[in-house]
Amino acid sequence: MESDHRDEWDNEEDGLAKAVVAAAANAIVALDRDLSVLSWNPAAERLFGWPAAELLGRRAPLVPSELMAEHNAVLERVRNGGHVSLRTKRFRRDGQLIDVQVDTSALRTESGTLLGYVSVYHLTEEDEAARSRVVRRARLVRRLTDVVGDINAELDLPVVLDRIAASLTELTGADAGGFVLIEGDRLRLVGSHQLPESIRGATADLGSSLVGKLLRTGKPVMLETGHEGLQDLIWAKLPGLHTIAVGIAAVGGRPYGALYALFAKRKAGHVELELLELLAGHAGIAVANATAYQDAVRQRAHERAVFDASADGIAVLDGTGGVIQWNPAAAELTGFPAHEVIGGPPPFALPLPGEKLTIQLPSGRWLDVLCAEIDETGQIVVDFRDITRAKELEEAKDLFLATTSHELRTPITVVRGFASTLDARWDKMSDTERRSAVHTIAERAKSLGQLIDHLLLGSRAGAAEPAVRSEPFDLAERVHAATLGLPVLSDRHRVEVSIPEDLPAVHGDALATDILLGQLLENAFKYSPDGGLIRVEAWPEGGSVVLVVDDEGIGIRPADRERVFERFVQGDSGDRRRFGGVGLGLYIVRSLARAQGGEVTALARPGGGTRMRFELRVDGGESLYRTRLTGAVTDE
C-alpha cells in the first residue's frame, strides 16, 4: 500500500516537472551526451520555429559554424562542473540569426553520472549598448577560435602556458596575464605575459589565494576589485593594479591551474569574464594535450635508454622481417653495426615467436635467441644474449667427466688386474714377481690418491676461497725442499735453482706454497716431454718476491694463458690434452696463490717454452691480489 502511494507521488512529481518545463517562458532545450535533442519545450518552438516533433532524437541546427568553438568550450566547461551563462547568436528555422542569452548546465543523475546538457534561452534587449557589446564579443569569439588553434598547435608545455597567458591579455584586454599551477596546497607561477621575469616560479599558499577562494565557491570564474586584498599578492608588482579576474583550468575534470587576467589601466566586465571562462576551458584541453605529449616523450626516452643500455642484444623487425632498430649490445655481440643491418634481415636465424633457438655465429660466439610478436603493430622483437662462456663451461664439464673417467679407470684397471693375478696365482709366482705386483699396486694407488686430492682441492677452491694461514716463512727454503731430488727423476731434464741468499721472508702459508710449487714443477716436467732446462729463480721486486719456473716445453698459446687457470681446462683439446689430467692443477695453484694475497700468471719464456710467475708479498707488505683489484698494480 505504501509502495502504491510512493509510485503515485513519483508520477505526480514527474508530471509536475513536465508541466513546469512546458509552461516556462524561456526556451528550455535538453541534449544527450551526443548532443541529440531530448526535450524541446513550447517556448523553444516559439523562439526557434522548429516543432519538437521535428527535432527530438536529432541534433538541432542552432549554432553558426563560426561559433562552434565557443559552443564546444561551453560544453567542456559544464562537463567539469558549474554552469556557463553568455550572450551569443543562434539560427531560427527561417535562417535568421537572433541574439540570445543562454545559460547552460550539465544534466546529471543523483550519483553524478553525466546524462547530457540543459540550455535555457531568451532574447536579449535590442538597444545600442547591447548591440555594441555583441559585436565586440563576436569579434573576440572569432579571435578565440584562432587563439585556441594557436595554443593547441604547440605541445611544449612551458610554451603552451606562456601562450595561454598572452592570449588571455589579447582577448580580455587585460594589462598582464599569468598562469599558476596548483601543486598540492601551493600555487606556482609557470606562465606569464607583460610581467617581470623575476617573479616566474614564485609560489603562494593555495588556501589564502584567490584561486583557493574561487575553488571554495564552486564557480568557474571570479572578479576581484579594489586595492584591499591585492597588495599582498605577487601581482602587486604590476603598477596601478585594481582588478583581477581568475578562471580555473581543469584537466581530466580536476583543477590543474588558474588563469589570472590583471587590469591596471583598462576595466573588466561580464564579456571579459565570459571570454576568460571560455579560454580557461580550452586551456585545460591544451594543457592536457601538452602533458600527454610530454609523458609520451618521457616514456619513449625511458624505453630508448633501456633499449640502448641493455646488456642483451635487442632488435625490432617490421612486418616484412627487416630490421628497424638495433641496439649497441646487438652490434657488439654480432660484430655488425646498426647501419649495416637496418633495412635488411638480422644476420642469424630466428626461432618462432615464443620459442628459443641456440645458434653459433661464424665468429664462434654462441647466442640464445628469443622472439616475441607485437600484435598491435605486427612487429617482431628479438632478444639475444651471449652464452659462449656457459657453452664452454658445459663442454669443459663434459670433457672433465670423460677425462676423469679415463684417469680413474686406468689405475683402477691396473690395480684390479694385479690384485686378481696375485689372488689367482699367488703360489705360482716367485717372490720377486709378487713384490713387483704389490709395488705396482702401491704406485697406482698413490696416483689414484693424488687424483682424488686434486678433485677435492678443486671442489673446495670452487666453493670458496681456500682456508690458508697468514704468517711469515722462508720461500727460499720451500723452493730448495721442493726441488731436492728432482734432477734424478728424469735423465732428459736439467734443473737449475737461482735464489739470492738475502731473499726476504714472505707472508702466507708455507704448506699451501709447497702444494703450489709442486704443481708448477710437475707441469714443467709434464709439458716438456723432450726434456731441456727447468729453471727456478726468485728475486725481490717492490713490496713482493717474484718466483718464476721456466721450461723449454710446448708453451701456451697467448689466447689460452688465462684460460689454463680455469677449472677443467688444459689449454685446448690438442697438444696439451695428450698429457692427461683433469685440468684442475693450475686452477688450484691460482686459488692457493690468491688466498695468500699473491698471484700466479702464465707468460711466454724468451726462447720458447713457458714461464710461470708466482708473486707473494714481502712480510709486512700489502696483498698483491687486493691491489690488483683496485688497479694499483699491473701484470707484466
Side-chain angles (χ1 to χ4, degrees):
M1 194 70 181
E2 184 179 346
S3 175
D4 292 339
H5 284 305
R6 187 182 300 112
D7 291 340
E8 182 178 352
W9 174 254
D10 290 342
N11 290 334
E12 288 180 0
E13 281 192 322
D14 185 59
L16 179 62
K18 290 181 178 178
V20 170
V21 172
N26 292 329
I28 300 176
V29 178
L31 308 177
D32 63 16
R33 287 183 298 179
D34 295 327
L35 306 185
S36 296
V37 176
L38 292 173
S39 175
W40 185 270
N41 73 342
E45 293 183 354
R46 293 191 298 271
L47 179 62
F48 296 112
W50 281 282
E54 287 188 19
L55 293 183
L56 289 176
R58 298 174 49 212
R59 288 198 175 196
L62 300 178
V63 183
S65 59
E66 66 269 22
L67 297 180
M68 286 304 299
E70 173 194 78
H71 182 58
N72 291 335
V74 169
L75 297 182
E76 177 67 21
R77 169 56 63 185
V78 300
R79 272 198 297 269
N80 292 321
H83 71 279
V84 175
S85 178
L86 56 84
R87 292 183 177 184
T88 186
K89 289 183 179 290
R90 292 292 184 264
F91 278 120
R92 285 177 52 85
R93 187 179 186 185
D94 58 8
Q96 178 186 353
L97 275 175
I98 58 174
D99 300 312
V100 294
Q101 178 78 28
V102 55
D103 298 280
T104 303
S105 303
L107 181 62
R108 300 182 184 274
T109 64
E110 290 183 358
S111 62
T113 302
L114 180 68
L115 298 177
Y117 312 90
V118 176
S119 296
V120 179
Y121 297 88
H122 64 270
L123 290 170
T124 59
E125 296 180 0
E126 295 294 334
D127 53 29
E128 288 298 324
R131 183 179 295 110
S132 175
R133 286 195 298 271
V134 169
V135 170
R136 175 172 175 267
R137 188 179 179 285
R139 176 177 57 80
L140 291 174
V141 166
R142 286 193 295 272
R143 178 56 188 151
L144 174 64
T145 302
D146 297 334
V147 167
V148 168
D150 184 50
I151 62 176
N152 279 288
E154 181 59 54
L155 291 174
D156 184 17
L157 185 58
V159 176
V160 168
L161 298 177
D162 281 343
R163 285 191 179 183
I164 291 172
S167 301
L168 178 63
T169 60
E170 178 184 354
L171 290 173
T172 64
D175 297 285
F179 190 97
V180 297
L181 194 64
I182 300 174
E183 298 177 330
D185 58 355
R186 302 291 294 175
L187 297 177
R188 181 165 59 90
L189 179 63
V190 293
S192 64
H193 183 68
Q194 299 298 330
L195 288 171
E197 188 63 27
S198 59
I199 69 172
R200 183 185 292 270
T203 62
D205 178 67
L206 172 63
S208 60
S209 69
L210 294 178
V211 177
K213 181 178 178 180
L214 180 57
L215 290 174
R216 289 191 292 272
T217 65
K219 297 178 180 180
V221 292
M222 181 178 66
L223 198 66
E224 191 81 7
T225 60
H227 294 288
E228 185 178 352
L230 303 182
Q231 298 306 310
D232 294 335
L233 303 176
I234 58 173
W235 316 117
K237 294 182 179 293
L238 184 65
L241 176 66
H242 59 74
T243 301
I244 297 178
V246 185
I248 298 296
V251 175
R254 299 175 62 87
Y256 176 85
L259 286 74
Y260 276 79
L262 310 176
F263 297 88
K265 300 176 182 177
R266 302 178 180 90
K267 294 183 179 181
H270 293 294
V271 172
E272 286 72 22
L273 277 181
E274 290 173 7
L275 289 170
L276 174 61
E277 185 175 355
L278 294 174
L279 182 61
H282 282 289
I285 297 173
V287 168
N289 291 340
T291 302
Y293 174 76
Q294 288 199 336
D295 288 343
V297 169
R298 282 192 293 268
Q299 179 66 22
R300 284 197 296 270
H302 173 74
E303 292 171 354
R304 188 73 208 184
V306 173
F307 181 81
D308 287 344
S310 174
D312 283 7
I314 301 176
V316 180
L317 314 183
D318 60 22
T320 65
V323 177
I324 56 177
Q325 292 189 59
W326 188 256
N327 77 337
E332 193 279 327
L333 290 175
T334 63
F336 288 93
H339 69 270
E340 293 184 9
V341 179
I342 297 296
F348 48 77
L350 298 179
L352 294 174
E355 297 183 3
K356 182 176 77 171
L357 180 65
T358 300
I359 61 173
Q360 187 176 27
L361 300 177
S363 63
R365 177 169 278 168
W366 287 90
L367 301 178
D368 263 355
V369 186
L370 296 167
C371 284
E373 184 174 3
I374 304 175
D375 294 334
E376 292 79 4
T377 63
Q379 295 174 333
I380 299 292
V381 177
V382 183
D383 182 280
F384 48 98
R385 62 182 53 184
D386 188 356
I387 60 164
T388 305
R389 296 293 296 163
K391 199 75 174 176
E392 289 176 348
L393 181 59
E394 180 183 339
E395 293 175 351
K397 286 182 177 179
D398 291 342
L399 184 60
F400 164 72
L401 291 175
T403 304
T404 304
S405 299
H406 172 76
E407 295 289 333
L408 289 171
R409 186 182 297 111
T410 300
I412 290 174
T413 300
V414 173
V415 168
R416 184 169 57 188
F418 275 95
S420 297
T421 300
L422 289 172
D423 181 53
R425 302 182 64 250
W426 179 271
D427 294 334
K428 299 178 181 180
M429 298 174 65
S430 66
D431 185 61
T432 301
E433 289 174 333
R434 288 195 293 265
R435 286 181 180 278
S436 175
V438 171
H439 177 75
T440 301
I441 291 173
E443 286 296 319
R444 293 297 181 171
K446 179 182 177 182
S447 66
L448 185 61
Q450 291 175 337
L451 177 59
I452 298 299
D453 287 342
H454 272 191
L455 291 174
L456 290 174
L457 276 172
S459 174
R460 292 170 184 169
E465 187 173 290
V468 297
R469 296 181 180 180
S470 183
E471 57 188 12
F473 68 93
D474 188 346
L475 180 62
E477 180 183 342
R478 298 292 92 203
V479 172
H480 287 302
T483 56
L484 184 64
L486 286 181
V488 300
L489 293 180
S490 170
D491 56 4
R492 290 177 297 176
H493 293 85
R494 292 182 297 109
V495 179
E496 290 184 3
V497 178
S498 176
I499 297 179
E501 294 182 359
D502 58 349
L503 188 71
V506 295
H507 202 83
D509 188 307
L511 180 58
T513 302
D514 282 344
I515 297 173
L516 185 154
L517 290 174
Q519 184 63 52
L520 293 181
L521 290 167
E522 180 183 331
N523 276 15
F525 277 86
K526 184 176 181 180
Y527 293 113
S528 53
D530 298 328
L533 175 65
I534 295 176
R535 179 176 176 81
V536 182
E537 186 177 1
W539 64 85
E541 185 177 286
S544 65
V545 168
V546 177
L547 181 142
V548 296
V549 178
D550 289 345
D551 66 58
E552 297 178 339
I554 63 174
I556 305 174
R557 294 184 307 177
D560 292 330
R561 288 175 189 159
E562 273 299 306
R563 293 185 66 246
V564 294
F565 292 102
E566 299 176 11
R567 282 190 290 181
F568 320 136
V569 173
Q570 288 188 325
D572 57 29
S573 57
D575 289 342
R576 297 182 66 83
R577 179 57 66 187
R578 63 189 169 93
F579 296 104
V582 293
L584 285 171
L586 291 180
Y587 174 74
I588 294 170
V589 164
R590 175 166 279 185
S591 298
L592 292 175
R594 289 182 171 179
Q596 300 178 77
E599 183 60 288
V600 172
T601 52
L603 306 168
R605 173 187 171 275
T610 300
R611 163 170 288 187
M612 302 302 294
R613 176 187 171 98
F614 170 44
E615 297 180 57
L616 271 182
R617 68 187 188 278
V618 173
D619 183 29
E622 186 181 4
S623 167
L624 296 170
Y625 183 50
R626 185 176 300 110
T627 55
R628 275 189 171 78
L629 290 178
T630 59
V633 176
T634 57
D635 291 331
E636 291 184 357

